[in-house]
Structures are given as C-alpha cells and as structure tokens.
Amino acid sequence: MGKPTGFLEFTRELPGKKPVEERLKNYNEFIERYSDEKLNQQSARCMNCGVPFCHSGCPLGNVIPEFNDAVYRKSWQEAYEILASTNNFPEFTGRICPAPCESACVLGINQPAITIEEIEKHIIEIAFDKGFVKPRKPNVRTGKKVAVVGSGPAGLAAAAQLNYAGHTVTVFERDDKPGGLLRYGIPDFKLEKWVIDRRIKLMEEEGVTFRCHANVGENVRINDLLREYHAIVLAGGSTVPRDLKIPGRELKGVYYAMQFLKQQNKRNAGLDPLAHANIESNIFSENLLATSKNVVVIGGGDTGSDCVGTSNRHKAKSVTQFELLPKPPDGRNEFMPWPTFPMILKTSTSHEEGANRHWAIATKEFVGDKKGNLKALKVVDLEWKVTEDGKPSQFVEKPGSEREIPCELALLAMGFVHPQHEGLLNELGVDLDSRGNVRATEKEYKTSINKIFVAGDMRRGQSLVVWAISEGRECARKVDEFLNEGVSFLESKDQNIVLAI
C-alpha cells in the first residue's frame, strides 16, 4: 500500500466534468483528468487488504492494489506493466466499465470505494503520453493461422493474445472499421473513436491483420476459412435486439436503439449513416433524428441511457425513459450484501443532462395517426410483488393508471436475446443452447465443431465489455492449447489472482 493512512485522510473524489450546457453542443468526451495531487490522493486510499476482493470482483482479475501502489509512488511504467498484464484494453474499460471491482472493494464496506476505474484510465493514458505503450511483436511465429470473426472487445482480446503467442491472426469484421460494439454501439461522448483507432494501429504494428467489409457467411465463405485456418474464433456478439410486439409496432417512429445509435456514430465519423442499410440489420434505411420530437426510450439500462444522451444532443423536445421493473434502492440492503454487485439506482451522465425517468411502467400500444406515424404511447403503471429475497417476481396493472403520452420517436432498448443466426451460424450448423447462444463449455470455449471456438456475448449472452475482454483472453488460451497439443504459455485469470495474492 502506498500510504497506510490514506483511506483515513482522503475521501472518494471523481474527476470534474464539463458543464451540461457545454457538452450537449458536441459528441466529445467531457470527463476531465485528475490533477497530479488528486490522482495521488485517490491511489493512496487503497488499503493493504488481507484478501483484496477487488481481484474477484473484476472479471479480468486485475491486480488492483499493486497498480494503485505504483501510481501512488508515481512509478508509471510499473503501473502500466501491472495493468497490461491482465487487461489488453484499459483505455476501454477505464471509460465504459460499470466497475464491478469497486463494488467488491473492501473499503466499500463502510466508506466509498476506491476510484479504480478512473485510476485505470489514468494509468493507460499516462503510459501512452510517456511512450511506454509499444508494439509487442512475437519473437517467433508458430506457422499456425487463426481467424477471428468479429472485432468487438472479445474478438480484439482473442486476436491480441493469440498474436502474442506467435500465431498469425486475421480478424474479419463485417462493418467498415474494426471495433464492433465499441465503434458503433457506444456513443462518442463516452468513448471517442480515436481511442479505438490508436489501439487498432498498435495491433496492426504487432502483426494482426484486419479485413473489413468481410461478412463471414455472406461475402466470405465459411468453408474457405475452415480450409485456410488452423482454428477459428467466433466473436460476433449478441446482436439480435429484444422486440416489443404490441399493437402499433409497425408504425413509423418505432425503432431499435442500435439503429438510432449506430447512425449517429456514423455521422460523427463523417460517414453516410444510411450506407449498407440493405445489408446490415441494425441500420435503418432513413435518417433517424430526435430533433424537436417527444422521445421515449423503453428500457432502463446502459443502452437506454446512451439513447437519452444522444437524443438530448439532437435537441429533442422531451426525453423520457421507461423501466418495467420497480425503482431500485439508493444503496445496498439486506438482499445485496457486500461484496456482491448491487442492483441499486444509477444515475448516468446522460440522465444528468435531462430525462424524465419512470419505473414500474409498461407500454401497451403504439398509437399512430392516419398517415402511419407514431404520435403517442398507451401506457399503464404496474404494481410489483416481491419474493422473500427482495426480488420482483410478478406484476399487475394498477387500476385507473392507463393513459396516453405524446411520443413521435420510441426507441426500444430492452437488451439483446442472442447472436444473429442467419448466415454464419446457420451455415456452420453449430450447436446452440436454450437461449440461442452458441453452445460451448466455459472452461474450454469449444463449439460442437472441431477447431471452432467461441467467446464473448456470442457464447454467454449480452454482458459487459470487461467480460468480453476476459472471455477473449481465456478463449485465446484454449485455442493456443489446441494448436500446441495441450500446452499454452498464455496466463489465465485464475493464475493472475493466485500470483497477486
């Protein structure tokens, strides 16, 4: 630990943010950096825990107390090397991770947790500034070739690890640039795309090849990959959105959240937002704008929050967000003990910018005008029954609460059900589980077809970016073992935790 009394002297402080009225004028990131003094103080709060639960809270097994100590001592290269040993992309997780490590922080038992996520972001950005981040080229190539299908966080992590192991890796991406969800799912105001470009350039210098506009199962034949590559990793994500099949669903003005968000990210990149509209299922064939409209976002998660922030930047007339479940508590209760990840009320930076939030509410009908345009939503309030452990189980409609609210743009942000089956998966004939995800064991990541592996949301269902990176790393290790007849020198998450303790 850097300072034995640090957690007694300093409290949790987050970096400053630009004023709402300023950040709504553009799509740039708006969270500022700590001063040197504040960064030192925040790292000083990390305690010498007997058992640092933050290790297990982090899906990557990041060695958090050790890099906090290095930050306190201003040993920046040491801090970077510790962080990079477990996390391929801290510049991503430092910006968009919900930080389950902080929920497991021992200090969080009776004080606000360490600002682990922000410290992580500062380590990697300082490392880039100081020139510590350099291409890691393998000394020897194995002669084995691996195809990675999908360039989201799971695919990128798998590609990076397999490249470090000496294999020749090609990443196939159906979009115009690599990044997957990172590039076209997450708004620029949370993750500017030069951050992705910087990492892709580094990976290319390390020897990874990227092939864009390469939709495997469509314009790239899976049989060609099976012949050419010694192993294939499926990392296409969970991309089929959950629908709301109620009367009026066909009206003009009802769209999936990703159709809306992807268009805006393409605009920010100076691209035609309607390009490839007939090819990609998540691009709609007309411009989707919230300007001067009453917007209702149906779904209370992160994707819904991203729609709120984007709609406010479009200068929507009003922005409302619905959540089917009841409003969560402000803090932990007896059903959410430390160090579990608590389901508590979260107010995102997009919510701070303006949104009418409603809980325990259901949409019963999309109401249209005579021209087929959405004009209102018919909604009803709900009363929830909870189980003995405090979880909502059943709901009934509250009598007399049914009403219509004005709405010209409804965005469905209710999560994703499974990966796209049409094309690649159907052509492969790979086994699926009961939820429609690609079936594979968690320890082996093998599919039902020889030499084909799967990682990320395509295997486990929709999840966090940090889980996708973890899956990509662990899958890469199993692929390496497969190619090396049971031997791999890539470390696993479990090994990292044991070494840290």
Side-chain angles (χ1 to χ4, degrees):
M1 62 190 303
K3 188 172 187 180
T5 58
F7 69 97
L8 298 173
E9 296 179 36
F10 310 114
T11 189
R12 176 184 172 99
E13 287 188 50
L14 292 171
K17 297 183 290 240
K18 292 181 180 178
V20 169
E21 58 272 15
E22 181 180 342
R23 67 201 202 209
L24 286 180
K25 296 176 182 178
N26 55 59
Y27 292 86
N28 301 330
E29 292 181 25
F30 49 81
I31 297 177
E32 300 166 350
R33 281 201 192 182
Y34 284 124
S35 65
D36 291 346
E37 179 186 11
K38 289 296 182 185
L39 181 56
N40 182 263
Q41 290 175 356
Q42 291 305 301
S43 61
R45 298 184 69 234
C46 190
M47 306 187 298
N48 187 17
C49 305
V51 178
F53 279 77
C54 54
H55 287 319
S56 60
C58 174
L60 289 164
N62 281 345
V63 192
I64 294 163
E66 283 73 9
F67 70 57
N68 279 334
D69 176 64
V71 169
Y72 178 76
R73 292 185 283 104
K74 299 183 180 180
S75 181
W76 298 114
Q77 184 156 1
E78 179 188 359
Y80 164 66
E81 289 174 353
I82 293 170
L83 179 57
S85 70
T86 58
N87 188 351
N88 297 81
F89 314 121
E91 66 270 34
F92 303 156
T93 54
R95 286 171 165 84
I96 57 175
C97 184
C101 54
E102 294 183 10
S103 298
C105 174
V106 173
L107 184 57
I109 295 174
N110 60 2
Q111 287 193 41
I114 310 298
T115 54
I116 300 169
E117 182 184 14
E118 282 295 337
I119 292 172
E120 184 177 302
K121 182 176 78 173
H122 281 70
I123 291 172
I124 188 61
E125 293 303 332
I126 290 170
F128 272 112
D129 292 346
K130 293 183 176 294
F132 298 147
V133 187
K134 298 176 181 177
R136 289 173 53 192
K137 298 180 181 179
N139 294 325
V140 179
R141 287 291 178 183
T142 64
K144 303 291 178 63
K145 298 171 65 177
V146 182
V148 177
V149 181
S151 68
L156 292 178
Q161 291 296 100
L162 288 165
N163 182 67
Y164 297 152
H167 308 303
T168 301
V169 182
T170 301
V171 180
F172 293 83
E173 168 55 51
R174 68 179 178 179
D175 233 315
D176 50 8
K177 288 186 178 181
L181 171 74
L182 298 170
R183 185 173 296 279
Y184 288 127
I186 296 171
D188 289 42
F189 54 79
K190 289 173 66 176
L191 175 66
E192 291 185 21
K193 304 319 171 200
W194 63 264
V195 178
I196 304 171
D197 294 336
R198 179 178 63 182
R199 179 58 67 173
I200 297 299
K201 182 175 182 294
L202 191 69
M203 291 179 67
E204 289 176 330
E205 291 172 357
E206 292 171 339
V208 178
T209 299
F210 291 90
R211 284 185 55 185
C212 295
H213 294 298
N215 193 351
V216 180
E218 296 291 338
N219 61 358
V220 176
R221 295 179 60 193
I222 186 63
N223 285 337
D224 292 342
L225 299 191
L226 288 167
R227 280 192 298 267
E228 185 178 349
Y229 293 89
H230 297 91
I232 298 172
V233 176
L234 305 179
S238 180
T239 57
V240 177
R242 181 172 284 106
D243 203 352
L244 184 58
K245 296 178 180 179
I246 58 175
R249 174 63 179 87
E250 75 287 350
L251 291 171
K252 184 178 179 180
V254 184
Y255 307 104
Y256 292 120
M258 276 303 151
Q259 294 174 326
F260 177 70
L261 295 173
K262 185 167 187 175
Q263 280 198 8
Q264 186 55 52
N265 280 13
K266 282 183 170 284
R267 290 189 196 99
N268 294 343
L271 302 173
D272 179 2
L274 305 184
H276 310 295
N278 295 323
I279 299 174
E280 300 177 33
S281 60
N282 54 358
I283 296 185
F284 198 71
S285 57
E286 65 179 74
N287 274 302
L288 305 183
L289 296 168
T291 310
S292 301
K293 295 178 181 177
N294 294 297
V295 179
V296 176
V297 180
I298 301 175
D302 290 337
T303 302
S305 170
D306 294 343
C307 290
V308 169
T310 302
S311 296
N312 278 321
R313 283 162 177 76
H314 284 185
K315 295 181 171 54
K317 183 177 181 180
S318 68
V319 182
T320 302
Q321 187 175 19
F322 287 172
E323 170 57 59
L324 186 74
L325 294 170
K327 185 177 181 180
D330 292 328
R332 291 186 186 273
N333 56 32
E334 69 266 33
F335 305 116
M336 295 181 283
W338 176 91
T340 59
F341 189 78
M343 302 303 292
I344 59 176
L345 179 64
K346 296 177 183 177
T347 300
S348 71
T349 54
S350 292
H351 294 139
E352 293 172 358
E353 294 162 1
N356 302 309
R357 303 174 71 184
H358 297 268
W359 289 268
I361 187 169
T363 306
K364 298 189 69 175
E365 183 181 346
F366 298 111
V367 181
D369 60 19
K370 294 180 179 179
K371 296 182 179 180
N373 297 309
L374 180 68
K375 69 173 186 178
L377 302 184
K378 184 178 291 185
V379 302
V380 65
D381 293 328
L382 305 176
E383 293 179 342
W384 280 89
K385 296 179 181 179
V386 297
T387 60
E388 292 182 357
D389 58 357
K391 296 179 180 179
S393 60
Q394 292 180 318
F395 66 80
V396 294
E397 295 182 3
K398 188 178 292 186
S401 66
E402 188 173 297
R403 60 199 181 278
E404 286 189 7
I405 63 168
C407 176
E408 294 82 47
L409 178 62
L411 299 172
L412 307 183
M414 303 177 296
F416 301 86
V417 291
H418 52 65
Q420 179 180 322
H421 295 163
E422 296 79 10
L424 171 62
L425 298 185
N426 283 346
E427 185 177 339
L428 273 175
V430 68
D431 286 352
L432 305 176
D433 64 19
S434 59
R435 296 186 298 158
N437 300 317
V438 178
R439 185 187 299 280
T441 61
E442 185 172 3
K443 295 296 183 182
E444 298 299 326
Y445 296 88
K446 288 182 180 179
T447 70
S448 57
I449 300 176
N450 185 43
K451 82 175 188 179
I452 298 182
F453 296 76
V454 63
D457 291 4
M458 190 171 261
R459 186 195 71 84
R460 65 179 283 123
Q462 70 164 36
S463 189
L464 307 175
V465 168
V466 67
W467 266 114
I469 297 172
S470 174
E471 288 256 322
R473 288 173 62 90
E474 296 298 310
C475 179
R477 185 168 180 268
K478 294 304 177 181
V479 174
D480 191 38
E481 287 181 359
F482 170 77
L483 296 175
N484 292 327
E485 299 181 352
V487 178
S488 176
F489 294 102
L490 296 173
E491 289 184 344
S492 71
K493 172 192 170 183
D494 293 340
Q495 287 173 316
N496 292 329
I497 292 176
V498 170
L499 289 171
I501 294 175

